[in-house]
Amino acid sequence: MNDCADGKKSGFYLTTPIYYVNDAPHIGHAYTTIACDALARWHRMRGDDTRLLTGTDEHGQKIQQAAEKRGMKPIELCDEVVVNFRRLWEVLDISNDDFIRTTDDRHIEVTQYFFRTLLESGDIYKGSYEGWYCVPCETYVPEAQIGDERLCPDCKRPLVRMSEESYFFRLSKYQDALIEHYETHPDAIMPKVRYNEVMSFMKSGLQDLSISRTTLKWGIPVPGDERHTIYVWLDALINYISALDYPEPGGNWEKRWPDVRHIVGKDIIRFHAVIWPAILMAMNLNPPVRVFAHGWWTVEGDKMSKSKGNVVNPFEMVDVYGTDAFRYFVLREVPFGNDGDFSELGMMSRINSDLANDIGNLLNRTLQMIEKYRGGHLPPPSVFERARDVDFSLRDSAVRTLRDMDSQIDDFALDAALKTLWALIGAGNKYIDETSPWKLGRDDPDDRLDVVLRTLWEVLRLSAMLVFPFMPGTAAKIQRQLGLAGDISRERHAEWGWGNYLEPVIVKKGDVLFPRIDVVKWKEDYDARLASRNAEANPNSSPPVAKIETARLPQIEMDDFKKLEIRVARIESVQVVENAKKLYKLNLDLGFEHRVIVSSIREFFTPEGLTGKKILVLCNLKPAIFRGIESEGMLLAAEAEGERGEIISLAVVDDDFPVGARIH
Ligand code: MSP
């Protein structure tokens, strides 16, 4: 690694996988790229000389067939669809330094150079490949995908046993070297669960790998034997170094390759942590410093699939929620490395709580007070001479936040880094409550207000810098509202210090960063979008009709109704009930008292989605015990039978309505 004497890295190189160019971009693609972007932006601010690469994977059977269907040449199709990814990275504010396509000349040349070199050294040899082949699809089907009936998983027609001449890479030769490498570099595959998976796969024995096809036309020709094309995965992996002018003497690769890190989804870890490092070793190049595999997203508990119509389209998410809210949500919601479940309800809740409430309020309240009490003029840092313990303690938290986030980012723990920053934002809000500046605005015998205002401004100035890698647009807005000029991306951690901005500042309160989402309107919009997505996925099916219970009940007297004590309650927190799949324990605030109820709504909502909601509760229902927990009431919800089972909607009231209020 090229670490400088001051701890900065001089060749930090991060890559996303290259995406199949013909696929419609979805949340999985967006996720890896957003994560890489946040890491790259953090490292730039850390002072590391950083490079971020992404691109598209453009060879293979599928592209060839899709192009044939449309009566185009494969390259024409690629040129047309590559804009989908390029546009998505613009929309998502991705700061990649390069975009490689496997159809670029620079890539084709390097791939053929790899092939020639390995053929000369004997690590590639000619042999024969035997396997199950689908003639109409012109493709070999891996053993693992073949059922007892031996049908093609795509077209369902019978497979035939075929054998053909093929070039092979001597993967088996590198088994021991790889195992030894990973034993001495345990951080080279992260998280640990993937490290263990790869190690046990390698210990079960590696076989040589067939790396050419005579049946595939749309690929890079094997140099000197053009009946063969190079296996698409080998071609694809080489992109990481072909984008660095390899093997040109003095090329970018000399500086970057020693410090390369790949971020990929867990499904493609073996390609990156077994095949790729073996090829690099065979080329006398270092294996990647780290391969980090993140988990997979499901959508509201379901696997994502076109036919289910539940593919999360990142363009749509940005349209509805904004780039930064989407970036924040995917990075914050799931520990990086784990699987996660995406739900718009979850996203909407986080926008209202973490963004509108926490960071939005801190900025708003601070700027409002600086404007109201000081006409927008920020008190100078010299006021810190009068600082007290409560102010020092917030300053110390700020300094610690930068240090802690930096070490979390070193481990790629993006979610944890965001939590750390939000703890500081929470401390800032608490500091406002404790120091009550609005009281000082009226009566300030100890001359405290200036110190309080400057302290809050300092917390926000740091927060803007620290939030930038995750939400670049928001960070720039905060910075402008704080009265700071300049390009925030040029800020450097080492240049930041509490109170070290000495210029006079006039703050400029602007638009609210994240307007609160109205839950009722959101639900209407969400349902409408869901219905149109469903209609698109299944154009011939009628729109889903929910079945409702139509049986009527006998009439009751007004007095009967008056016996019901229904009140507005706020859900303070939600816990899952152990060993009960459907149950949540809800802690409710009724204003004048707190209550616990147990409710069987777990399969419909996430705890985050429920927390903070104001719902209606029947309070004078006789208590009942569920799994040992006493339930003191019942929440009101509408129920119906939807297309895929029961659906429910909670009876909610407006956010600003007082808790405890009775329904008459
Ligand atoms: N072209 C290959 C990668 C070659 S890299 C030398 C490829 N492309 S892909 O477009 O199918 O997938 C790209 C990435 O998206 C992978 O890292 C994959 O894990 C990720 N995801 C695809 N679906 C996903 C989810 N549902 N959730 C999270 N990420 C997932 O594979």
Side-chain angles (χ1 to χ4, degrees), residues 128 133 251 312 435-436 462 498 579 663:
S128 102
Y133 188 75
V312 178
T435 54
S436 315
L462 175 66
W498 183 267
N579 303 324
I663 308 302

Side-chain angles (χ1 to χ4, degrees), residues 15-21 23-24 26-33 55-58 85 102 232-240 262-269 271-272 276 292-299 302-304 338-340:
T15 71
T16 75
I18 47 171
Y19 303 102
Y20 290 126
V21 71
D23 289 354
H26 58 63
I27 185 179
H29 306 125
Y31 185 48
T32 327
T33 315
T56 41
D57 193 349
E58 306 196 355
F85 282 99
T102 54
V232 281
W233 261 101
L234 175 60
D235 157 4
L237 288 161
I238 292 171
N239 91 86
Y240 299 126
H262 303 307
I263 300 195
V264 299
K266 65 179 184 180
D267 53 319
I268 54 176
I269 183 78
F271 290 102
H272 286 82
W276 181 225
F292 188 101
H294 64 68
W296 265 46
W297 287 94
T298 49
V299 178
D302 251 349
K303 213 176 150 203
M304 229 171 22
N338 291 9
D339 290 336

